[in-house]
Amino acid sequence: AVMMMMMQSSNLLHLEESMGMSLVEINGRSYIHSVVPGGLAEQAGMEVQDCIQYAAAVEPPPSMSGSLSEPPILSESMVHQIQTQAREEEKKGTRIPHDQLVRLLQGNLYE
Protein backbone atom coordinates (compact mmCIF):
# COMPACT_ATOMS: atom_id res chain seq x y z
CA ALA A 1 0.00 0.00 0.00
CA VAL A 2 1.12 3.53 -0.69
CA MET A 3 0.45 6.07 2.05
CA MET A 4 1.17 9.73 1.51
CA MET A 5 1.79 12.47 4.02
CA MET A 6 2.26 16.11 2.99
CA MET A 7 4.22 18.48 5.17
CA GLN A 8 6.23 21.66 4.96
CA SER A 9 10.00 21.21 5.17
CA SER A 10 10.17 23.77 7.98
CA ASN A 11 8.15 21.38 10.14
CA LEU A 12 10.26 18.29 9.50
CA LEU A 13 12.83 18.67 12.23
CA HIS A 14 10.61 17.36 15.02
CA LEU A 15 9.03 14.18 13.66
CA GLU A 16 6.88 13.39 16.66
CA GLU A 17 5.37 16.88 16.75
CA SER A 18 5.00 17.44 13.02
CA MET A 19 4.29 13.93 11.71
CA GLY A 20 2.75 12.38 14.78
CA MET A 21 5.25 9.53 14.97
CA SER A 22 8.71 8.61 16.13
CA LEU A 23 11.15 6.31 14.33
CA VAL A 24 13.60 3.69 15.47
CA GLU A 25 16.48 2.27 13.43
CA ILE A 26 16.82 -1.51 13.23
CA ASN A 27 19.51 -2.98 10.97
CA GLY A 28 19.74 0.26 9.00
CA ARG A 29 15.98 0.47 8.31
CA SER A 30 13.35 2.85 9.73
CA TYR A 31 10.45 1.47 11.71
CA ILE A 32 7.66 3.40 13.38
CA HIS A 33 8.26 3.31 17.13
CA SER A 34 5.22 5.31 18.25
CA VAL A 35 2.19 6.99 16.71
CA VAL A 36 0.50 10.02 18.25
CA PRO A 37 -3.30 9.58 18.40
CA GLY A 38 -4.93 11.94 15.92
CA GLY A 39 -1.58 12.91 14.34
CA LEU A 40 -0.70 12.89 10.64
CA ALA A 41 0.82 9.40 10.80
CA GLU A 42 -2.32 7.91 12.34
CA GLN A 43 -4.51 9.77 9.84
CA ALA A 44 -2.39 8.30 7.02
CA GLY A 45 -2.94 4.78 8.39
CA MET A 46 0.56 4.24 9.74
CA GLU A 47 0.99 1.93 12.70
CA VAL A 48 3.67 1.01 15.23
CA GLN A 49 6.18 -1.47 13.71
CA ASP A 50 5.45 -0.37 10.12
CA CYS A 51 8.66 -0.23 8.09
CA ILE A 52 9.14 2.82 5.88
CA GLN A 53 10.19 1.41 2.53
CA TYR A 54 10.32 4.51 0.34
CA ALA A 55 10.11 8.26 0.75
CA ALA A 56 10.39 11.19 -1.62
CA ALA A 57 10.56 14.94 -1.27
CA VAL A 58 8.43 16.94 -3.67
CA GLU A 59 9.08 20.60 -4.36
CA PRO A 60 5.79 22.08 -5.58
CA PRO A 61 5.92 25.02 -8.00
CA PRO A 62 6.13 28.45 -6.28
CA SER A 63 2.55 29.18 -7.34
CA MET A 64 1.42 26.28 -5.13
CA SER A 65 3.32 27.28 -2.00
CA GLY A 66 1.26 27.04 1.16
CA SER A 67 1.60 28.98 4.36
CA LEU A 68 3.84 27.74 7.16
CA SER A 69 0.78 26.26 8.87
CA GLU A 70 -0.65 24.58 5.78
CA PRO A 71 1.20 22.55 3.14
CA PRO A 72 0.56 23.29 -0.54
CA ILE A 73 -2.22 21.39 -2.26
CA LEU A 74 -0.91 19.20 -5.08
CA SER A 75 -2.93 18.54 -8.21
CA GLU A 76 -4.43 15.08 -8.74
CA SER A 77 -1.94 14.44 -11.55
CA MET A 78 1.01 15.26 -9.26
CA VAL A 79 -0.35 12.96 -6.55
CA HIS A 80 -0.87 10.19 -9.13
CA GLN A 81 2.69 10.67 -10.40
CA ILE A 82 4.10 10.36 -6.86
CA GLN A 83 2.02 7.25 -6.13
CA THR A 84 3.07 5.64 -9.41
CA GLN A 85 6.74 6.34 -8.71
CA ALA A 86 6.42 4.85 -5.22
CA ARG A 87 4.80 1.68 -6.59
CA GLU A 88 7.49 1.35 -9.28
CA GLU A 89 10.26 1.70 -6.69
CA GLU A 90 8.55 -0.91 -4.49
CA LYS A 91 8.38 -3.36 -7.43
CA LYS A 92 12.13 -2.84 -7.99
CA GLY A 93 12.77 -3.59 -4.34
CA THR A 94 14.05 -0.08 -3.58
CA ARG A 95 14.34 0.51 0.14
CA ILE A 96 15.37 3.76 1.82
CA PRO A 97 18.06 3.40 4.51
CA HIS A 98 17.31 4.99 7.90
CA ASP A 99 20.06 7.62 7.67
CA GLN A 100 18.90 8.73 4.21
CA LEU A 101 15.27 8.95 5.41
CA VAL A 102 16.28 11.11 8.38
CA ARG A 103 18.29 13.45 6.11
CA LEU A 104 15.34 13.64 3.70
CA LEU A 105 12.89 14.47 6.49
CA GLN A 106 15.24 17.12 7.85
CA GLY A 107 15.69 18.66 4.43
CA ASN A 108 19.41 17.74 4.33
CA LEU A 109 19.38 15.06 1.65
CA TYR A 110 22.62 16.20 0.01
CA GLU A 111 24.83 16.28 3.11
Side-chain angles (χ1 to χ4, degrees):
V2 174
M3 291 182 259
M4 295 182 61
M5 294 175 60
M6 290 289 304
M7 22 189 336
Q8 295 286 83
S9 60
S10 60
N11 296 331
L12 296 177
L13 296 177
H14 305 287
L15 290 178
E16 195 156 6
E17 292 173 21
S18 61
M19 295 180 71
M21 69 176 178
S22 63
L23 301 176
V24 63
E25 178 182 2
I26 300 173
N27 294 326
R29 304 289 303 285
S30 293
Y31 291 85
I32 297 177
H33 180 259
S34 66
V35 175
V36 175
L40 288 176
E42 183 182 69
Q43 291 172 28
M46 298 174 142
E47 298 178 354
V48 171
Q49 297 183 352
D50 281 353
C51 182
I52 298 177
Q53 305 285 355
Y54 177 77
V58 178
E59 184 74 29
S63 62
M64 297 179 69
S65 296
S67 69
L68 289 178
S69 61
E70 294 183 28
I73 298 173
L74 298 178
S75 68
E76 285 186 41
S77 64
M78 289 179 78
V79 170
H80 177 72
Q81 182 180 0
I82 295 164
Q83 290 172 330
T84 299
Q85 180 181 358
R87 287 186 185 99
E88 288 173 3
E89 294 300 323
E90 185 173 356
K91 285 179 189 175
K92 290 191 263 182
T94 302
R95 303 291 185 257
I96 188 167
H98 177 78
D99 61 339
Q100 186 179 354
L101 176 65
V102 170
R103 286 194 315 270
L104 176 72
L105 293 174
Q106 293 176 339
N108 301 321
L109 186 57
Y110 301 107
E111 275 187 359

